[in-house]
Amino acid sequence: MTSFEKTTTSNEEAPADGHGKAGKAAAEKAILEAFGGFWGMVDTTVPGLVFVLIYTIKRDIHTAAIIALGLTVLLALVRLARRETLKHAFSGVFGVAIGAVFAMMSGDAKNFYLPGMLYTLGLAVVYVLSALFRFPLIGVLLGPILRENLSWRTRNPGRFKAYTKSTYAWGFILLAKSAILFPLYWWGDATQLGWVKVALGIPPFLLCVYLTWIFLAKAPAPIDVIAEMEAKEKAEADASGV
């Protein structure tokens, strides 16, 4: 059990409003890990940086795309060797591979970035719609990690509100990112698009994580439904004499 999970069941470690220092630190760590953490940022940023750097120097789409794809595969292998989750690494390899194929087949280096841009735009729309329909995606993603599952929807209105705010924040920030990148895709050149995309890789992500942490730090503590189920099963077992 993590330090955050313990704060949900002990009034001595964290106050009822969930503002304990241990709870905040663990919540921040959980949020970062849910979206890939440090290595997730590396997986999504470095290949694009390498592509635009090589293309700026050599003006060769094939060379830049192949080197970027090779680097992505190498990062995945490093994760495998370190026995870390490959979920974000595989998504990075898949995204870079599609971008590389698009760029090489079309002869337009800007198309290396198009799949990722479309993914970001689609994800932004999903975030906003999920919040509008009262099923905020951030809550769906973080609920299992924080052992509350979907209890926040019916039993914890304060967290429901925080998850809704967080989901809107992710959606609108990603929409703003798309509003900057797509005009460059249509009217700018490949190097302009590439460098701006690299510059917009990490800061928006960190802003989204920070806002999510702020909203959740002010929300009530999560209800540990896993602990509740375990306690219920233990009580039933004790009652039956098992």
Side-chain angles (χ1 to χ4, degrees), residues 84-185:
E84 297 175 347
T85 177
L86 294 178
K87 178 177 64 175
H88 298 285
F90 279 139
S91 64
V93 171
F94 185 70
V96 172
I98 293 178
V101 170
F102 273 35
M104 289 188 289
M105 290 185 64
S106 66
D108 187 346
K110 289 189 293 185
N111 285 332
F112 177 82
Y113 303 101
L114 184 58
M117 291 167 56
L118 291 174
Y119 174 78
T120 297
L121 178 59
L123 188 59
V125 172
V126 170
Y127 276 126
V128 173
L129 289 179
S130 70
L132 282 173
F133 286 100
R134 299 181 59 78
F135 217 106
L137 187 56
I138 296 299
V140 176
L141 294 173
L142 294 182
I145 297 175
L146 301 180
R147 295 172 61 93
E148 60 183 328
N149 293 342
L150 297 179
S151 62
W152 48 267
R153 295 201 74 239
T154 55
R155 299 173 58 190
N156 205 334
R159 289 188 72 80
F160 191 171
K161 184 177 180 180
Y163 280 137
T164 300
K165 289 181 178 180
S166 301
T167 302
Y168 273 127
W170 279 82
F172 290 140
I173 289 171
L174 293 183
L175 283 175
K177 180 177 176 179
S178 297
I180 295 172
L181 292 176
F182 274 99
L184 285 174
Y185 174 80

